[in-house]
Amino acid sequence: MKLLFDLLPVILFFLTFRATESHKEWAGEFATQHFGALVSGGVVAASEGPVMLATLVTIAATLCQVVYLKLRGRKVDLMLWISLTLVTVLGGLTVWLHNETFIKWKPSGLYWAFGLTLWISQVLFRKNLLRSTMGDQLVLPDAIWQRLNFAWVGFFGMMGLLNLWVAYSFTTETWVSFKLFGGTGLMLLFILGQGLYVSKYMPEEGEASTPAPGPGSGR
């Protein structure tokens, strides 16, 4: 359920884009009529409509996530705050400037924020965030925790670059699909690979065990 909650803005971006992609004229007119005040010039072209509406839905969904957690008295993770900031700033620029390039940078910014947070915590503060999160459930040698941490740093760095490569090398339609299916699929494969690597350090049969750690998802 947490994974679905984390992926909700990405899923809604995909669904909104796909639903309006084949009705671009309607999307442009709808965006102009209801959100023209948010757009420079006040008019959204048909070709811009799907991305504009998908971006606005994503901003609203991310904001709703924060509000929901606050109303429930639950902690809002730092990464969700970062995601809200990125999608509001970059999404806002996409809407105002009629330029989808900004929202395409958002996943890379989030991936790199994940990686940078893990790296800074380990190198500057000598705090392994993976261990802080999973250490009560999974007993591993210090060296293994450090390897896992830097493996995630490298993975997030690579995913940020891969997102930009897809964004600039392929159509927007392809990028939208990659954003949901490609990014999520690669992360699940990476978690599976870490699980196989960690399995040799898991407790023997009869002792407590837990899956390999994963710090979150890219939006």
Side-chain angles (χ1 to χ4, degrees):
M1 289 300 296
K2 186 179 186 306
L3 178 61
L4 181 61
F5 181 81
D6 291 340
L7 286 175
L8 182 60
V10 181
I11 294 172
L12 291 177
F13 185 98
F14 174 83
L15 293 176
T16 303
F17 181 85
R18 288 303 186 191
T20 56
E21 182 186 11
S22 56
H23 302 86
K24 292 182 179 180
E25 292 291 341
W26 175 87
E29 293 175 2
F30 183 87
T32 298
Q33 180 179 355
H34 295 280
F35 305 107
L38 302 177
V39 180
S40 176
V43 178
V44 178
S47 60
E48 301 166 347
V51 170
M52 294 286 187
L53 292 177
T55 298
L56 290 169
V57 166
T58 303
I59 294 173
T62 308
L63 180 60
C64 285
Q65 286 181 313
V66 172
V67 173
Y68 170 80
L69 292 175
K70 284 291 188 180
L71 291 176
R72 296 290 298 272
R74 296 167 59 182
K75 179 182 178 181
V76 179
D77 293 337
L78 174 62
M79 289 305 141
L80 181 52
W81 284 119
I82 294 175
S83 180
L84 177 61
T85 301
L86 287 173
V87 76
T88 301
V89 174
L90 297 178
L93 288 173
T94 284
V95 172
W96 178 253
L97 298 177
H98 305 256
N99 191 338
E100 64 187 31
T101 299
F102 293 103
I103 197 62
K104 288 182 176 180
W105 272 81
K106 188 265 180 180
S108 294
L110 190 59
Y111 285 130
W112 291 336
F114 275 131
L116 191 60
T117 300
L118 293 174
W119 183 81
I120 289 177
S121 297
Q122 179 72 56
V123 174
L124 298 185
F125 300 103
R126 297 292 185 265
K127 181 178 182 180
N128 189 304
L129 293 183
L130 290 181
R131 186 171 189 169
S132 298
T133 303
M134 303 293 295
D136 292 339
Q137 306 170 28
L138 182 62
V139 178
L140 292 172
D142 291 344
I144 302 304
W145 280 116
Q146 187 167 331
R147 289 176 195 171
L148 292 176
N149 190 73
F150 285 118
W152 276 102
V153 171
F155 174 76
F156 284 131
M158 180 275 294
M159 286 299 295
L161 294 174
L162 182 59
N163 172 71
L164 292 182
W165 178 70
V166 174
Y168 283 99
S169 301
F170 299 92
T171 64
T172 299
E173 291 80 2
T174 299
W175 173 77
V176 170
S177 296
F178 172 80
K179 185 172 181 284
L180 175 59
F181 300 108
T184 304
L186 288 172
M187 181 167 291
L188 291 176
L189 287 175
F190 183 73
I191 292 174
L192 177 61
Q194 283 211 334
L196 295 175
Y197 172 73
V198 169
S199 62
K200 68 177 87 171
Y201 302 102
M202 299 283 280
E204 297 295 331
E205 185 177 353
E207 299 180 26
S209 62
T210 188
S217 61
R219 301 175 196 196

